[in-house]
mmCIF file of all heavy atoms in Angstrom:
data_model
loop_
_atom_site.group_PDB
_atom_site.id
_atom_site.type_symbol
_atom_site.label_atom_id
_atom_site.label_comp_id
_atom_site.label_asym_id
_atom_site.label_seq_id
_atom_site.Cartn_x
_atom_site.Cartn_y
_atom_site.Cartn_z
ATOM 1 N N PRO A 1 26.450 6.850 8.349
ATOM 2 C CA PRO A 1 27.653 7.664 8.129
ATOM 3 C C PRO A 1 27.619 8.928 8.974
ATOM 4 O O PRO A 1 26.537 9.510 9.212
ATOM 5 C CB PRO A 1 27.619 7.968 6.629
ATOM 6 C CG PRO A 1 26.692 6.920 6.049
ATOM 7 C CD PRO A 1 25.708 6.619 7.111
ATOM 8 N N GLU A 2 28.768 9.390 9.406
ATOM 9 C CA GLU A 2 28.850 10.610 10.235
ATOM 10 C C GLU A 2 28.291 11.795 9.474
ATOM 11 O O GLU A 2 28.618 12.040 8.313
ATOM 12 C CB GLU A 2 30.289 10.868 10.641
ATOM 13 C CG GLU A 2 30.458 12.015 11.579
ATOM 14 C CD GLU A 2 31.897 12.197 12.020
ATOM 15 O OE1 GLU A 2 32.735 11.328 11.648
ATOM 16 O OE2 GLU A 2 32.179 13.206 12.700
ATOM 17 N N GLY A 3 27.387 12.537 10.099
ATOM 18 C CA GLY A 3 26.790 13.698 9.488
ATOM 19 C C GLY A 3 25.582 13.423 8.619
ATOM 20 O O GLY A 3 24.986 14.350 8.081
ATOM 21 N N ALA A 4 25.238 12.158 8.432
ATOM 22 C CA ALA A 4 24.101 11.832 7.558
ATOM 23 C C ALA A 4 22.784 12.212 8.248
ATOM 24 O O ALA A 4 22.644 12.095 9.470
ATOM 25 C CB ALA A 4 24.099 10.327 7.248
ATOM 26 N N GLU A 5 21.835 12.683 7.474
ATOM 27 C CA GLU A 5 20.517 13.031 7.970
ATOM 28 C C GLU A 5 19.556 11.865 7.689
ATOM 29 O O GLU A 5 19.529 11.332 6.582
ATOM 30 C CB GLU A 5 20.000 14.307 7.290
ATOM 31 C CG GLU A 5 20.805 15.554 7.653
ATOM 32 C CD GLU A 5 20.192 16.812 7.082
ATOM 33 O OE1 GLU A 5 19.103 16.693 6.443
ATOM 34 O OE2 GLU A 5 20.778 17.894 7.256
ATOM 35 N N LEU A 6 18.786 11.524 8.706
ATOM 36 C CA LEU A 6 17.809 10.439 8.538
ATOM 37 C C LEU A 6 16.563 11.009 7.896
ATOM 38 O O LEU A 6 15.948 11.945 8.404
ATOM 39 C CB LEU A 6 17.479 9.814 9.898
ATOM 40 C CG LEU A 6 18.641 9.118 10.599
ATOM 41 C CD1 LEU A 6 18.185 8.622 11.980
ATOM 42 C CD2 LEU A 6 19.159 7.965 9.782
ATOM 43 N N PRO A 7 16.126 10.451 6.752
ATOM 44 C CA PRO A 7 14.932 10.975 6.081
ATOM 45 C C PRO A 7 13.671 10.597 6.828
ATOM 46 O O PRO A 7 13.405 9.440 7.084
ATOM 47 C CB PRO A 7 14.987 10.288 4.700
ATOM 48 C CG PRO A 7 15.809 9.049 4.910
ATOM 49 C CD PRO A 7 16.776 9.354 6.013
ATOM 50 N N ILE A 8 12.899 11.610 7.203
ATOM 51 C CA ILE A 8 11.633 11.382 7.916
ATOM 52 C C ILE A 8 10.519 11.225 6.883
ATOM 53 O O ILE A 8 10.304 12.090 6.024
ATOM 54 C CB ILE A 8 11.296 12.553 8.847
ATOM 55 C CG1 ILE A 8 12.379 12.698 9.920
ATOM 56 C CG2 ILE A 8 9.942 12.380 9.496
ATOM 57 C CD1 ILE A 8 12.203 13.884 10.827
ATOM 58 N N VAL A 9 9.839 10.079 6.897
ATOM 59 C CA VAL A 9 8.769 9.810 5.911
ATOM 60 C C VAL A 9 7.387 9.964 6.518
ATOM 61 O O VAL A 9 6.399 10.016 5.798
ATOM 62 C CB VAL A 9 8.907 8.398 5.293
ATOM 63 C CG1 VAL A 9 10.190 8.296 4.475
ATOM 64 C CG2 VAL A 9 8.880 7.343 6.375
ATOM 65 N N GLU A 10 7.332 10.063 7.839
ATOM 66 C CA GLU A 10 6.026 10.232 8.481
ATOM 67 C C GLU A 10 6.242 10.652 9.932
ATOM 68 O O GLU A 10 7.242 10.267 10.559
ATOM 69 C CB GLU A 10 5.243 8.901 8.433
ATOM 70 C CG GLU A 10 3.858 8.973 9.078
ATOM 71 C CD GLU A 10 3.161 7.624 9.068
ATOM 72 O OE1 GLU A 10 3.567 6.728 8.294
ATOM 73 O OE2 GLU A 10 2.192 7.450 9.826
ATOM 74 N N VAL A 11 5.334 11.460 10.463
ATOM 75 C CA VAL A 11 5.265 11.714 11.894
ATOM 76 C C VAL A 11 4.037 11.015 12.410
ATOM 77 O O VAL A 11 2.893 11.382 12.037
ATOM 78 C CB VAL A 11 5.215 13.218 12.187
ATOM 79 C CG1 VAL A 11 5.076 13.450 13.695
ATOM 80 C CG2 VAL A 11 6.474 13.916 11.690
ATOM 81 N N ARG A 12 4.226 9.992 13.179
ATOM 82 C CA ARG A 12 3.116 9.129 13.608
ATOM 83 C C ARG A 12 2.563 9.605 14.943
ATOM 84 O O ARG A 12 3.294 9.822 15.915
ATOM 85 C CB ARG A 12 3.600 7.680 13.728
ATOM 86 C CG ARG A 12 2.523 6.685 14.134
ATOM 87 C CD ARG A 12 2.999 5.278 13.970
ATOM 88 N NE ARG A 12 3.193 4.970 12.536
ATOM 89 C CZ ARG A 12 3.785 3.846 12.103
ATOM 90 N NH1 ARG A 12 4.250 2.973 12.968
ATOM 91 N NH2 ARG A 12 3.925 3.629 10.808
ATOM 92 N N ARG A 13 1.276 9.788 14.987
ATOM 93 C CA ARG A 13 0.577 10.232 16.193
ATOM 94 C C ARG A 13 -0.356 9.123 16.689
ATOM 95 O O ARG A 13 -1.077 8.522 15.872
ATOM 96 C CB ARG A 13 -0.225 11.504 15.940
ATOM 97 C CG ARG A 13 0.685 12.715 15.719
ATOM 98 C CD ARG A 13 -0.091 13.953 15.313
ATOM 99 N NE ARG A 13 0.762 15.143 15.377
ATOM 100 C CZ ARG A 13 1.620 15.471 14.420
ATOM 101 N NH1 ARG A 13 1.757 14.723 13.344
ATOM 102 N NH2 ARG A 13 2.379 16.554 14.545
ATOM 103 N N GLY A 14 -0.315 8.859 17.981
ATOM 104 C CA GLY A 14 -1.078 7.751 18.534
ATOM 105 C C GLY A 14 -0.372 6.432 18.323
ATOM 106 O O GLY A 14 0.762 6.389 17.802
ATOM 107 N N ALA A 15 -0.983 5.354 18.739
ATOM 108 C CA ALA A 15 -0.338 4.042 18.653
ATOM 109 C C ALA A 15 -0.212 3.541 17.232
ATOM 110 O O ALA A 15 0.711 2.794 16.915
ATOM 111 C CB ALA A 15 -1.109 3.045 19.507
ATOM 112 N N PHE A 16 -1.138 3.967 16.370
ATOM 113 C CA PHE A 16 -1.169 3.362 15.015
ATOM 114 C C PHE A 16 -1.081 4.379 13.890
ATOM 115 O O PHE A 16 -1.135 4.020 12.723
ATOM 116 C CB PHE A 16 -2.467 2.552 14.835
ATOM 117 C CG PHE A 16 -2.710 1.559 15.947
ATOM 118 C CD1 PHE A 16 -3.729 1.735 16.834
ATOM 119 C CD2 PHE A 16 -1.866 0.450 16.063
ATOM 120 C CE1 PHE A 16 -3.927 0.824 17.881
ATOM 121 C CE2 PHE A 16 -2.076 -0.450 17.098
ATOM 122 C CZ PHE A 16 -3.098 -0.271 18.013
ATOM 123 N N GLY A 17 -0.954 5.662 14.228
ATOM 124 C CA GLY A 17 -0.813 6.672 13.183
ATOM 125 C C GLY A 17 -2.083 6.912 12.392
ATOM 126 O O GLY A 17 -2.018 7.214 11.214
ATOM 127 N N VAL A 18 -3.245 6.752 13.024
ATOM 128 C CA VAL A 18 -4.511 6.923 12.327
ATOM 129 C C VAL A 18 -4.749 8.379 12.053
ATOM 130 O O VAL A 18 -4.488 9.246 12.883
ATOM 131 C CB VAL A 18 -5.663 6.333 13.189
ATOM 132 C CG1 VAL A 18 -7.008 6.623 12.548
ATOM 133 C CG2 VAL A 18 -5.467 4.844 13.378
ATOM 134 N N HIS A 19 -5.256 8.685 10.840
ATOM 135 C CA HIS A 19 -5.541 10.053 10.434
ATOM 136 C C HIS A 19 -7.043 10.211 10.168
ATOM 137 O O HIS A 19 -7.678 9.293 9.636
ATOM 138 C CB HIS A 19 -4.751 10.425 9.174
ATOM 139 C CG HIS A 19 -3.270 10.317 9.323
ATOM 140 N ND1 HIS A 19 -2.501 11.247 9.954
ATOM 141 C CD2 HIS A 19 -2.417 9.341 8.933
ATOM 142 C CE1 HIS A 19 -1.241 10.882 9.927
ATOM 143 N NE2 HIS A 19 -1.153 9.711 9.308
ATOM 144 N N GLY A 20 -7.592 11.352 10.510
ATOM 145 C CA GLY A 20 -8.951 11.669 10.131
ATOM 146 C C GLY A 20 -10.024 11.187 11.054
ATOM 147 O O GLY A 20 -11.213 11.508 10.867
ATOM 148 N N THR A 21 -9.681 10.394 12.056
ATOM 149 C CA THR A 21 -10.665 9.924 13.030
ATOM 150 C C THR A 21 -10.059 10.040 14.406
ATOM 151 O O THR A 21 -8.876 10.293 14.592
ATOM 152 C CB THR A 21 -11.086 8.474 12.778
ATOM 153 O OG1 THR A 21 -9.933 7.620 12.985
ATOM 154 C CG2 THR A 21 -11.575 8.262 11.352
ATOM 155 N N GLY A 22 -10.883 9.818 15.438
ATOM 156 C CA GLY A 22 -10.386 9.837 16.788
ATOM 157 C C GLY A 22 -9.473 8.663 17.072
ATOM 158 O O GLY A 22 -9.587 7.601 16.438
ATOM 159 N N ASP A 23 -8.562 8.847 18.013
ATOM 160 C CA ASP A 23 -7.652 7.786 18.388
ATOM 161 C C ASP A 23 -8.318 6.901 19.450
ATOM 162 O O ASP A 23 -8.694 7.395 20.514
ATOM 163 C CB ASP A 23 -6.335 8.383 18.943
ATOM 164 C CG ASP A 23 -5.329 7.290 19.276
ATOM 165 O OD1 ASP A 23 -5.345 6.803 20.395
ATOM 166 O OD2 ASP A 23 -4.564 6.925 18.377
ATOM 167 N N THR A 24 -8.473 5.623 19.154
ATOM 168 C CA THR A 24 -9.157 4.719 20.052
ATOM 169 C C THR A 24 -8.195 3.887 20.898
ATOM 170 O O THR A 24 -8.605 2.999 21.628
ATOM 171 C CB THR A 24 -10.063 3.748 19.275
ATOM 172 O OG1 THR A 24 -9.267 2.977 18.371
ATOM 173 C CG2 THR A 24 -11.110 4.509 18.477
ATOM 174 N N SER A 25 -6.894 4.165 20.783
ATOM 175 C CA SER A 25 -5.913 3.345 21.467
ATOM 176 C C SER A 25 -5.574 3.818 22.867
ATOM 177 O O SER A 25 -5.024 3.082 23.680
ATOM 178 C CB SER A 25 -4.606 3.304 20.652
ATOM 179 O OG SER A 25 -3.977 4.586 20.667
ATOM 180 N N GLY A 26 -5.920 5.082 23.174
ATOM 181 C CA GLY A 26 -5.548 5.649 24.459
ATOM 182 C C GLY A 26 -4.173 6.281 24.456
ATOM 183 O O GLY A 26 -3.686 6.733 25.480
#
C-alpha cells in the first residue's frame, strides 16, 4: 500500500548473516 513502511526484522551481514564469529564466505 502507498506509504506503508516495510518492517525490518534483521540486518544481515555477510552471505549468511553469521553472528559472533568470523565470516568465512568472503
Side-chain angles (χ1 to χ4, degrees):
E2 185 177 354
E5 294 185 2
L6 296 176
I8 298 176
V9 295
E10 180 182 343
V11 176
R12 182 168 292 171
R13 291 174 169 80
F16 308 111
V18 175
H19 302 281
T21 65
D23 183 270
T24 61
S25 69

